[in-house]
Amino acid sequence: MAQEPAYFEFLCRMGDNALVLGHRLSEWCGHAPALEEDIALANTGLDLIGEAQLWLGLASDVEDRGRTADDLAMGRDVWDFRNHLLTEQPNGDFGQTMMRQYLFDAWHVCLLDALCDSSQAHTAEIAAKTVKEARYHLTRSRSIVIGLGDGTSESHRRMQTALDRLFPYVGEFFETDSIDRAMTASRIAPDPNSLKDPYLETIRSTFLDATLCVPEQEFYLSGGKTGRQHSEHLGHLLTQMQWLQRAYPEASW
Amino acid sequence: MYAQMIESEVECEDPQKLKEFQNRIDAGDKIEPQDWMPNGYRKTLIRQIGQHAHSEIVGQLPEGNWITRAPTLERKAILLAKVQDEAGHGLYLYCAAETLGVSRDELTEMLLDERMKYSSIFNYPTLTWADMGAIGWLVDGAAIMNQVPLQRTSYGPYARAMIRICKEESFHQRQGFDIMIKMAKGSAEQKHMAQDALNRFWYPALMMFGPSDTDSVHSVQSMAWKIKMNTNDELRQKFVDQTAPQADLLGLTIPDANLEWDEHKGGYNFTEPDWSEFYAVINGNGPCNVERLAARKKAWEDGQWVRDGLLANAEKHAAKIPVAAE
């Protein structure tokens, strides 16, 4: 199929977003502000790592060159990762982590909802399974963003700082390139730009409740999903995540 | 995982009430939060359940140390789920302790200012991936040995929490053993990691049962109240008897030249751990005491603004809800 290389790229984008964000959340384990939040962060991280296994598993089937999902996760270098820049940003404080999560979840739900109608059955199946988890993630991250935005003056200040820091990464969700055009043409995935208005409407309503100001800007950072230019942070993340596999390449775990 | 160094307290109580209380325990009744209980029973349980809860929470740290370096996606998910389970155990146990009249925040403060302890096993470092196997196999194995009898403990909320915890711990132990099998049957480096992990965790695992019965500060009272169900030495013997054949199966060597089957007693003879090391670790001088407590303090202090923020938000909403007419 002519679309296979593009489909493989698309699946890596889906898988890498879930993998990198899931990894970031797993860094919190044992260090969260309250026991319930520790459990919830780990749970969200687990869902995302499970989702990464599904997308990267499908990517390896589509590629059909003998690379497994683990090979894709543990064997590629920075330039071959296809996650959005937002997902690789450091955890920062709990507010920054939850703001990153909310900005991601709101997009993730929009996209997975649309992918449930994908012309490609495996993609539709994975979307149908994972959208249920993503909706729950969104409910939780939204409620925390509102709770902390409209909490104390300090929590408000921290959440506004987090939003200002992370908002420039949101634009990358809606960029369209040749991979996206191929996916849209074959009705595998929606045009990313078509998700922009519903997304902005969703987050504006949340930030209104959270008493937070959405930055008025048209400046965006991108380069993650195309692999053109990741942030410096991804290399450090991969250094940890891939270390054992790279140190003992012949071993089976 | 396991609370140790429990001292029971016997205080002056109404002898008639004490007698009735003891009769209930002897008859196998469960004591529930609203029931009368001696102060010593309440205090001992708060200390035991609190220390057990703290052990679960501090116990997240040595394994959490490897979540970001797990070698495959599946291993990463399993380890994250496991450490999440430990946090869940902490939550049940804090809830059980709260039924005795102490809040989770109070218990946390007591952990952080070192008025309460946690299991000393978590003051040892995790240095290789095989340590994730050794912890599941040995540490969770020892914890199960301690905890299975506590499912029959006399305090209802504690016994019920232990039933759920034991199910999950058994699963964790199997996961740990699965890692050990993979490592012990793997490359030369993996076998080396597996043996090294066993060498480092064997004696600390034996220490998890507490000091020898002859030196134990545990009183007969805790056994009479069915807060403690077996002696330390009974459980330690049972653990060695169960674990030695498993090490053989793995092709690993338990680091004890005196380990041998004793036909006469129907169990293994083995070397006691170095109890001076045990007391040093308990008193704050283990390899990771400083790091473990610092990590918990940082989480608590860094999280203060979050807890305050969410509480303030909840209060704003509560204030907006109209009070129903009488």
Side-chain angles (χ1 to χ4, degrees):
Chain A
M1 279 195 298
Q3 76 196 25
E4 273 180 8
Y7 188 33
F8 172 75
E9 279 285 309
F10 166 76
L11 293 169
C12 285
R13 290 175 179 185
M14 297 302 295
D16 289 345
N17 275 322
L19 174 60
V20 170
L21 188 58
H23 182 95
R24 280 287 186 229
L25 293 178
S26 79
E27 293 172 356
W28 270 103
C29 193
H31 305 280
L35 208 37
E36 287 82 351
E37 297 310 323
D38 210 300
I39 293 170
L41 282 168
N43 209 18
T44 309
L46 261 178
D47 286 346
L48 289 171
I49 290 163
E51 184 181 335
Q53 285 178 286
L54 295 173
W55 292 122
L56 294 179
L58 183 53
S60 78
D61 291 346
V62 167
E63 186 186 47
D64 199 21
R65 280 202 221 149
R67 285 201 290 182
T68 64
D70 279 327
D71 293 335
L72 291 172
M74 304 295 176
R76 286 175 301 155
D77 209 333
V78 168
W79 53 77
D80 281 332
F81 267 75
R82 294 291 181 261
N83 57 290
H84 291 108
L85 295 178
L86 178 74
T87 59
E88 69 196 42
Q89 295 311 301
N91 286 336
D93 65 11
F94 183 76
Q96 186 170 313
T97 291
M98 291 313 298
M99 183 59 77
R100 183 186 62 198
Q101 194 63 37
Y102 175 69
L103 293 171
F104 177 82
D105 291 340
W107 168 78
H108 200 204
V109 168
C110 284
L111 176 60
L112 291 175
D113 263 334
L115 288 178
C116 289
D117 297 324
S118 174
S119 62
Q120 218 294 335
H122 292 311
T123 287
E125 285 162 12
I126 295 174
K129 177 184 186 303
T130 53
V131 75
K132 293 178 212 150
E133 297 164 350
R135 283 199 195 104
Y136 181 75
H137 301 165
L138 177 60
T139 302
R140 174 174 173 270
S141 60
R142 179 178 187 276
S143 126
I144 290 194
V145 163
I146 293 172
L148 292 175
D150 187 22
T152 60
S153 58
E154 185 185 2
S155 70
H156 175 84
R157 177 185 63 74
R158 284 176 183 260
M159 294 313 280
Q160 186 64 55
T161 304
L163 178 55
D164 295 346
R165 158 89 171 73
L166 296 172
F167 198 66
Y169 296 105
V170 163
E172 192 178 15
F173 289 145
F174 313 112
E175 275 189 357
T176 302
D177 67 0
S178 59
I179 307 293
D180 296 308
R181 281 189 286 277
M183 291 301 97
T184 309
S186 52
R187 299 190 2 263
I188 289 178
D191 175 0
N193 197 46
S194 69
L195 305 176
K196 187 172 181 180
D197 287 342
Y199 176 83
L200 289 176
E201 196 180 324
T202 301
I203 66 167
R204 279 190 184 121
S205 136
T206 297
F207 292 135
L208 192 67
D209 289 346
T211 71
L212 297 172
C213 300
V214 180
E216 286 187 18
Q217 61 174 31
E218 285 302 316
F219 164 70
Y220 290 120
L221 289 161
S222 65
K225 85 168 190 177
T226 60
R228 179 178 57 80
Q229 181 170 281
H230 280 279
S231 67
E232 291 180 346
H233 306 295
L234 182 61
H236 292 281
L237 184 152
L238 297 186
T239 302
Q240 274 204 4
M241 188 173 85
Q242 300 179 337
W243 171 71
L244 262 182
Q245 288 280 2
R246 289 182 180 275
Y248 304 98
E250 304 303 320
S252 158
W253 305 93
Chain B
M1 296 269 159
Y2 175 56
Q4 56 200 1
M5 296 290 287
I6 311 297
E7 287 178 73
S8 302
E9 294 180 20
V10 182
E11 297 181 11
C12 297
E13 300 277 3
D14 178 343
Q16 183 56 34
K17 280 187 170 174
L18 267 178
K19 188 163 178 290
E20 286 165 11
F21 181 78
Q22 191 62 51
N23 288 343
R24 286 191 63 194
I25 287 183
D26 294 343
D29 273 8
K30 288 282 179 255
I31 307 301
E32 296 299 335
Q34 68 279 7
D35 296 347
W36 183 88
M37 61 186 84
N39 273 330
Y41 179 85
R42 184 184 299 275
K43 282 185 183 175
T44 306
L45 271 174
I46 288 175
R47 188 160 47 230
Q48 182 167 333
I49 299 173
Q51 288 179 359
H52 189 164
H54 297 329
S55 300
E56 300 283 358
I57 301 309
V58 178
Q60 288 185 271
L61 300 172
E63 291 180 284
N65 185 36
W66 278 89
I67 290 172
T68 56
R69 290 178 288 173
T72 67
L73 295 173
E74 189 182 9
R75 293 289 184 198
K76 191 183 189 69
I78 290 171
L79 184 59
L80 183 54
K82 184 195 167 182
V83 182
Q84 185 198 28
D85 282 349
E86 311 291 2
H89 297 173
L91 197 54
Y92 314 149
L93 288 164
Y94 283 127
C95 291
E98 283 185 323
T99 64
L100 293 159
V102 61
S103 75
R104 196 201 312 178
D105 283 1
E106 284 172 299
L107 288 168
T108 301
E109 298 284 353
M110 285 194 268
L111 168 70
L112 299 183
D113 65 21
E114 303 180 53
R115 277 177 289 156
M116 286 184 85
K117 307 246 183 231
Y118 55 89
S119 181
S120 59
I121 190 78
F122 302 117
N123 289 314
Y124 289 86
T126 52
L127 303 179
T128 74
W129 176 250
D131 290 12
M132 298 304 99
I135 287 182
W137 174 37
L138 301 174
V139 176
D140 294 328
I144 292 165
M145 209 63 89
N146 274 323
Q147 292 169 0
V148 164
L150 290 175
Q151 295 177 105
R152 292 178 285 112
T153 194
S154 60
Y155 190 55
Y158 191 28
R160 290 189 286 274
M162 292 317 304
I163 289 170
R164 192 160 169 182
I165 289 171
C166 281
K167 281 184 192 161
E168 293 181 350
E169 293 292 1
S170 300
F171 194 55
H172 296 170
Q173 193 196 17
R174 287 204 294 277
Q175 289 166 353
F177 197 70
D178 182 59
I179 292 178
M180 290 309 282
I181 290 175
K182 200 81 179 168
M183 300 293 280
K185 309 288 177 202
S187 69
E189 288 105 332
Q190 286 174 303
K191 281 181 201 160
H192 179 76
M193 288 181 214
Q195 182 62 55
D196 179 62
L198 173 56
N199 292 349
R200 282 181 289 107
F201 278 99
W202 174 252
Y203 287 106
L206 294 188
M207 292 178 200
M208 287 176 68
F209 300 96
S212 181
D213 295 335
T214 49
D215 304 323
S216 175
V217 294
H218 300 175
S219 73
V220 177
Q221 184 65 75
S222 279
M223 301 276 279
W225 276 337
K226 295 188 185 170
I227 292 174
K228 185 177 167 63
M229 310 294 284
N230 300 85
T231 71
N232 297 347
D233 287 334
E234 277 169 12
L235 292 170
R236 191 170 10 253
Q237 181 69 52
K238 205 172 164 193
F239 175 74
V240 173
D241 292 346
Q242 175 185 285
T243 310
Q246 294 171 343
D248 285 342
L249 185 75
L250 291 169
L252 299 176
T253 307
I254 288 175
D256 179 358
N258 299 321
L259 186 80
E260 62 174 3
W261 178 256
D262 183 334
E263 198 63 53
H264 177 67
K265 79 170 177 184
Y268 283 85
N269 293 323
F270 59 95
T271 305
E272 287 276 316
D274 174 359
W275 292 109
S276 65
E277 177 181 317
F278 172 78
Y279 288 111
V281 177
I282 281 240
N283 289 323
N285 299 319
C288 297
N289 293 60
V290 173
E291 287 94 333
R292 299 291 184 249
L293 208 55
R296 289 313 310 158
K297 279 183 184 162
K298 186 174 187 317
W300 185 245
E301 287 163 10
D302 288 357
Q304 186 67 52
W305 73 269
V306 176
R307 297 189 298 275
D308 290 346
L310 293 176
L311 199 60
N313 181 266
E315 282 165 2
K316 283 180 201 181
H317 283 280
K320 283 179 198 163
I321 299 169
V323 178
E326 293 283 317

Short mmCIF file of all heavy atoms in Angstrom, two decimals, chain A residues 59-91:
data_model
loop_
_atom_site.label_atom_id
_atom_site.label_comp_id
_atom_site.label_asym_id
_atom_site.label_seq_id
_atom_site.Cartn_x
_atom_site.Cartn_y
_atom_site.Cartn_z
N ALA A 59 2.23 -0.17 14.78
CA ALA A 59 3.27 0.42 13.90
C ALA A 59 4.26 -0.66 13.47
O ALA A 59 4.66 -0.72 12.30
CB ALA A 59 4.00 1.55 14.64
N SER A 60 4.64 -1.53 14.40
CA SER A 60 5.63 -2.56 14.04
C SER A 60 5.00 -3.56 13.05
O SER A 60 5.69 -4.03 12.14
CB SER A 60 6.18 -3.25 15.28
OG SER A 60 5.27 -4.19 15.78
N ASP A 61 3.71 -3.85 13.22
CA ASP A 61 3.03 -4.73 12.24
C ASP A 61 3.01 -4.09 10.86
O ASP A 61 3.24 -4.75 9.84
CB ASP A 61 1.58 -5.00 12.67
CG ASP A 61 1.51 -5.87 13.91
OD1 ASP A 61 2.55 -6.46 14.28
OD2 ASP A 61 0.43 -5.94 14.53
N VAL A 62 2.68 -2.80 10.84
CA VAL A 62 2.56 -2.09 9.57
C VAL A 62 3.93 -2.00 8.89
O VAL A 62 4.07 -2.20 7.69
CB VAL A 62 1.95 -0.68 9.79
CG1 VAL A 62 2.09 0.19 8.55
CG2 VAL A 62 0.48 -0.81 10.18
N GLU A 63 4.96 -1.74 9.69
CA GLU A 63 6.30 -1.62 9.12
C GLU A 63 6.78 -2.97 8.57
O GLU A 63 7.42 -3.04 7.51
CB GLU A 63 7.29 -1.12 10.18
CG GLU A 63 8.66 -0.85 9.59
CD GLU A 63 9.71 -0.48 10.64
OE1 GLU A 63 9.79 -1.17 11.67
OE2 GLU A 63 10.43 0.49 10.42
N ASP A 64 6.47 -4.05 9.36
CA ASP A 64 6.77 -5.41 8.93
C ASP A 64 8.26 -5.64 8.61
O ASP A 64 8.60 -6.25 7.61
CB ASP A 64 5.90 -5.75 7.70
CG ASP A 64 5.82 -7.27 7.49
OD1 ASP A 64 6.08 -8.02 8.46
OD2 ASP A 64 5.55 -7.70 6.36
N ARG A 65 9.11 -5.09 9.47
CA ARG A 65 10.54 -5.32 9.26
C ARG A 65 11.15 -6.03 10.47
O ARG A 65 12.36 -5.98 10.68
CB ARG A 65 11.26 -3.98 9.07
CG ARG A 65 11.10 -3.42 7.68
CD ARG A 65 12.24 -2.42 7.42
NE ARG A 65 11.76 -1.26 6.73
CZ ARG A 65 12.27 -0.04 6.86
NH1 ARG A 65 13.26 0.18 7.71
NH2 ARG A 65 11.79 0.97 6.17
N GLY A 66 10.32 -6.61 11.28
CA GLY A 66 10.83 -7.38 12.42
C GLY A 66 11.11 -6.55 13.66
O GLY A 66 11.58 -7.09 14.66
N ARG A 67 10.86 -5.23 13.61
CA ARG A 67 11.06 -4.42 14.82
C ARG A 67 9.81 -4.52 15.68
O ARG A 67 8.69 -4.32 15.18
CB ARG A 67 11.28 -2.94 14.47
CG ARG A 67 12.65 -2.66 13.92
CD ARG A 67 13.01 -1.20 14.07
NE ARG A 67 12.24 -0.31 13.19
CZ ARG A 67 12.44 1.00 13.13
NH1 ARG A 67 13.34 1.59 13.91
NH2 ARG A 67 11.72 1.75 12.31
N THR A 68 9.98 -4.79 16.97
CA THR A 68 8.83 -4.88 17.87
C THR A 68 8.51 -3.50 18.46
O THR A 68 9.27 -2.55 18.27
CB THR A 68 9.14 -5.83 19.05
OG1 THR A 68 10.21 -5.23 19.80
CG2 THR A 68 9.54 -7.21 18.58
N ALA A 69 7.41 -3.44 19.21
CA ALA A 69 7.07 -2.19 19.91
C ALA A 69 8.22 -1.79 20.85
O ALA A 69 8.57 -0.62 20.95
CB ALA A 69 5.78 -2.37 20.69
N ASP A 70 8.81 -2.79 21.53
CA ASP A 70 9.94 -2.48 22.42
C ASP A 70 11.14 -1.96 21.63
O ASP A 70 11.84 -1.06 22.09
CB ASP A 70 10.35 -3.73 23.22
CG ASP A 70 9.46 -3.94 24.43
OD1 ASP A 70 9.00 -2.93 25.01
OD2 ASP A 70 9.22 -5.10 24.79
N ASP A 71 11.38 -2.54 20.45
CA ASP A 71 12.49 -2.05 19.64
C ASP A 71 12.26 -0.58 19.27
O ASP A 71 13.20 0.22 19.27
CB ASP A 71 12.63 -2.86 18.34
CG ASP A 71 13.05 -4.30 18.61
OD1 ASP A 71 13.68 -4.54 19.66
OD2 ASP A 71 12.73 -5.17 17.78
N LEU A 72 11.02 -0.26 18.94
CA LEU A 72 10.73 1.13 18.58
C LEU A 72 10.91 2.05 19.79
O LEU A 72 11.46 3.15 19.67
CB LEU A 72 9.29 1.25 18.04
CG LEU A 72 9.04 0.58 16.68
CD1 LEU A 72 7.55 0.59 16.35
CD2 LEU A 72 9.84 1.27 15.57
N ALA A 73 10.45 1.60 20.94
CA ALA A 73 10.54 2.44 22.14
C ALA A 73 11.98 2.58 22.61
O ALA A 73 12.42 3.67 23.00
CB ALA A 73 9.69 1.86 23.26
N MET A 74 12.71 1.50 22.60
CA MET A 74 14.03 1.47 23.25
C MET A 74 15.19 1.62 22.27
O MET A 74 16.33 1.77 22.69
CB MET A 74 14.20 0.15 24.02
CG MET A 74 13.11 -0.12 25.04
SD MET A 74 13.13 1.10 26.38
CE MET A 74 11.69 0.59 27.32
N GLY A 75 14.91 1.55 20.98
CA GLY A 75 16.02 1.52 20.01
C GLY A 75 16.14 2.73 19.12
O GLY A 75 17.12 2.84 18.38
N ARG A 76 15.18 3.63 19.14
CA ARG A 76 15.28 4.81 18.26
C ARG A 76 15.95 5.96 19.01
O ARG A 76 15.82 6.09 20.22
CB ARG A 76 13.89 5.25 17.78
CG ARG A 76 13.27 4.32 16.73
CD ARG A 76 11.86 4.73 16.40
NE ARG A 76 11.02 4.70 17.59
CZ ARG A 76 9.91 5.40 17.78
NH1 ARG A 76 9.48 6.22 16.84
NH2 ARG A 76 9.23 5.29 18.89
N ASP A 77 16.61 6.81 18.26
CA ASP A 77 17.23 7.98 18.88
C ASP A 77 16.27 9.18 18.74
O ASP A 77 15.21 9.08 18.12
CB ASP A 77 18.58 8.28 18.22
CG ASP A 77 19.54 8.96 19.19
OD1 ASP A 77 19.05 9.65 20.12
OD2 ASP A 77 20.76 8.82 19.04
N VAL A 78 16.69 10.29 19.30
CA VAL A 78 15.81 11.47 19.39
C VAL A 78 15.15 11.82 18.06
O VAL A 78 13.94 12.07 18.01
CB VAL A 78 16.62 12.68 19.91
CG1 VAL A 78 15.83 13.97 19.75
CG2 VAL A 78 16.98 12.48 21.38
N TRP A 79 15.93 11.84 16.99
CA TRP A 79 15.39 12.33 15.71
C TRP A 79 14.30 11.43 15.13
O TRP A 79 13.58 11.84 14.24
CB TRP A 79 16.51 12.55 14.68
CG TRP A 79 17.39 11.33 14.50
CD1 TRP A 79 17.09 10.22 13.78
CD2 TRP A 79 18.68 11.12 15.05
NE1 TRP A 79 18.10 9.31 13.86
CE2 TRP A 79 19.11 9.83 14.62
CE3 TRP A 79 19.53 11.87 15.86
CZ2 TRP A 79 20.34 9.29 14.99
CZ3 TRP A 79 20.75 11.32 16.21
CH2 TRP A 79 21.16 10.06 15.79
N ASP A 80 14.22 10.18 15.63
CA ASP A 80 13.17 9.29 15.13
C ASP A 80 11.92 9.30 16.01
O ASP A 80 10.94 8.62 15.69
CB ASP A 80 13.70 7.85 15.03
CG ASP A 80 14.55 7.66 13.79
OD1 ASP A 80 14.31 8.39 12.80
OD2 ASP A 80 15.46 6.81 13.81
N PHE A 81 11.96 10.04 17.10
CA PHE A 81 10.74 10.14 17.93
C PHE A 81 9.79 11.15 17.32
O PHE A 81 10.22 12.15 16.75
CB PHE A 81 11.11 10.49 19.39
CG PHE A 81 11.28 9.24 20.22
CD1 PHE A 81 12.42 8.45 20.09
CD2 PHE A 81 10.27 8.82 21.08
CE1 PHE A 81 12.55 7.27 20.81
CE2 PHE A 81 10.39 7.66 21.81
CZ PHE A 81 11.54 6.88 21.68
N ARG A 82 8.51 10.89 17.45
CA ARG A 82 7.49 11.68 16.75
C ARG A 82 6.44 12.28 17.71
O ARG A 82 5.34 12.60 17.29
CB ARG A 82 6.77 10.78 15.72
CG ARG A 82 7.69 10.31 14.58
CD ARG A 82 8.08 11.48 13.68
NE ARG A 82 8.93 11.07 12.59
CZ ARG A 82 10.27 11.19 12.58
NH1 ARG A 82 10.90 11.70 13.63
NH2 ARG A 82 10.98 10.80 11.54
N ASN A 83 6.80 12.40 18.96
CA ASN A 83 5.86 12.99 19.93
C ASN A 83 5.87 14.50 19.82
O ASN A 83 6.87 15.10 19.41
CB ASN A 83 6.26 12.58 21.35
CG ASN A 83 7.68 12.99 21.68
OD1 ASN A 83 8.62 12.42 21.13
ND2 ASN A 83 7.84 14.00 22.52
N HIS A 84 4.75 15.11 20.24
CA HIS A 84 4.69 16.57 20.29
C HIS A 84 5.65 17.08 21.37
O HIS A 84 5.88 16.41 22.38
CB HIS A 84 3.27 17.02 20.65
CG HIS A 84 2.30 16.77 19.56
ND1 HIS A 84 1.33 15.81 19.63
CD2 HIS A 84 2.13 17.38 18.35
CE1 HIS A 84 0.61 15.81 18.52
NE2 HIS A 84 1.08 16.76 17.73
N LEU A 85 6.14 18.29 21.15
CA LEU A 85 7.08 18.88 22.12
C LEU A 85 6.45 18.98 23.52
O LEU A 85 7.15 18.85 24.53
CB LEU A 85 7.49 20.29 21.67
CG LEU A 85 8.30 20.37 20.37
CD1 LEU A 85 8.59 21.84 20.04
CD2 LEU A 85 9.60 19.58 20.47
N LEU A 86 5.15 19.23 23.57
CA LEU A 86 4.48 19.39 24.87
C LEU A 86 4.74 18.19 25.78
O LEU A 86 5.01 18.34 26.98
CB LEU A 86 2.96 19.57 24.68
CG LEU A 86 2.18 19.71 25.98
CD1 LEU A 86 2.40 21.09 26.61
CD2 LEU A 86 0.68 19.47 25.76
N THR A 87 4.65 16.99 25.21
CA THR A 87 4.70 15.78 26.05
C THR A 87 6.08 15.56 26.65
O THR A 87 6.20 14.88 27.67
CB THR A 87 4.31 14.52 25.25
OG1 THR A 87 5.21 14.38 24.15
CG2 THR A 87 2.89 14.62 24.73
N GLU A 88 7.12 16.08 26.03
CA GLU A 88 8.47 15.84 26.55
C GLU A 88 8.92 16.92 27.53
O GLU A 88 10.00 16.80 28.12
CB GLU A 88 9.47 15.71 25.39
CG GLU A 88 9.74 17.00 24.63
CD GLU A 88 10.41 16.76 23.27
OE1 GLU A 88 10.00 15.81 22.57
OE2 GLU A 88 11.31 17.53 22.92
N GLN A 89 8.11 17.95 27.72
CA GLN A 89 8.51 19.01 28.65
C GLN A 89 8.64 18.44 30.06
O GLN A 89 7.86 17.57 30.46
CB GLN A 89 7.49 20.16 28.63
CG GLN A 89 7.41 20.89 27.30
CD GLN A 89 8.79 21.29 26.77
OE1 GLN A 89 9.52 22.01 27.43
NE2 GLN A 89 9.15 20.76 25.62
N PRO A 90 9.59 18.94 30.83
CA PRO A 90 9.80 18.39 32.18
C PRO A 90 8.56 18.57 33.07
O PRO A 90 7.73 19.45 32.81
CB PRO A 90 10.97 19.22 32.73
CG PRO A 90 11.60 19.87 31.55
CD PRO A 90 10.53 20.02 30.52
N ASN A 91 8.49 17.75 34.12
CA ASN A 91 7.33 17.79 35.01
C ASN A 91 7.15 19.13 35.70
O ASN A 91 6.04 19.55 35.97
CB ASN A 91 7.44 16.70 36.06
CG ASN A 91 7.17 15.33 35.48
OD1 ASN A 91 6.49 15.20 34.46
ND2 ASN A 91 7.70 14.30 36.12
#
